[in-house]
Amino acid sequence: LDGVMFNKDITHPRMRRIIKNPRVVLLDCPLEYKKGESQTSVEITKDTDWEKLLQQEEDEMKKVCDDIIKVKPDVVITEKGVSDLAQHFLLKANISVIRRIRKTDNNRIARVTGASICNRTEELTEAAVGSKCGLFQVKKIGDEYFTFMTQCEDPKACSVILRGASRDVLNEMERNLQDAFGVARNITLEPRMLPGGGATEMALAARLKEKAKAIPGTKQFAYKAVAEALEVIPRSLAHNCGADVVRVMTDLRARHAAPGGTNWGIDGNKGVVADVKSLGIMDTFAVKQQTLRTSLEAAAMLLRIDDIISGISKKQRGGGGGGGMPTGEEETFGDARDG
């Protein structure tokens, strides 16, 4: 949409549901009479005093509504409640009202209409009124009413409407859309791309194996272990698309061992080794960087843990009996094990 949509209806059925080029006022204050914060007792001796109390409430509400009507809006949207009295005064002025809108929705409306959110009606000025919205419309979709604010000029926010056959389909579509937004954001922040289809992991594994050969002693096994772990990604891809895993992995290793073979990966549709760069199968650099960083940190953390994850009780360890299994009566976890 070239604007926003939110799940709210107007507060009174006689208010206008379609307004072209509306003047919009956004509020963050209640349009109802303020109640005392602590319990208040009022003693009335005459019936006229009761009428005066009600009149005071009405005068207060009228003053608030007059502050709003002064800037001549067509739509008033507030995050708090609206009393029946306020609805009456605003309806007489031909103003549509929407109440109890979420803070996030209110911020989005401010971005598309050019309005400013006011905390007090006394502070309302002409500059706080939004006039960039082209059409205000309340529609019924299914059993619920939705308000559309569309045809906005130069909107800084928008709504994406998803339609699906069932709630599960809609949830899946929403997850996919969120993933797509995340990819678009990553590319905007970090434009660099890497070959996908397991090509990057395979290239790293091949270089690590070459490096391991040049390192003497047991240190080379760490390089080989990381290389083997990286090969899990292309192996899983080959397995998922129904290819012959052994043949595909052997072919991939041979191609990456040769010079200039860094772009060879797995085509998930055909289950064969292909030049993924020419097929347009690419991964974002930011995701690959974070994946490798997280996996190496997790592996290092597990290697640092010493004698913490244990399945034997202190008695058995102290008795010199070795690593026998504990009996059912002995406590092997929780506070009792820790002394």
Side-chain angles (χ1 to χ4, degrees), residues 167-177:
R167 179 65 64 185
D168 294 333
V169 173
L170 268 177
N171 289 339
E172 185 62 31
M173 285 168 66
E174 188 180 357
R175 279 193 292 271
N176 291 340
L177 185 68

Side-chain angles (χ1 to χ4, degrees), residues 71-107:
V71 294
K72 298 175 184 172
D74 296 306
V75 180
V76 173
I77 299 172
T78 179
E79 294 174 29
K80 306 291 193 301
V82 179
S83 68
D84 295 341
L85 203 55
Q87 284 181 48
H88 165 71
F89 288 127
L90 294 172
L91 178 61
K92 277 172 69 176
N94 202 20
I95 297 170
S96 296
V97 184
I98 289 172
R99 64 182 169 190
R100 303 197 193 284
I101 194 167
R102 286 184 300 188
K103 184 78 176 172
T104 50
D105 285 340
N106 213 11
N107 289 333

Side-chain angles (χ1 to χ4, degrees), residues 197 237-238 240-243 265-274 276 279-281:
L237 288 170
N240 288 346
C241 62
I266 294 165
D267 181 356
N269 293 326
K270 297 177 183 175
V272 295
V273 175
V276 289
L279 291 173
I281 303 169

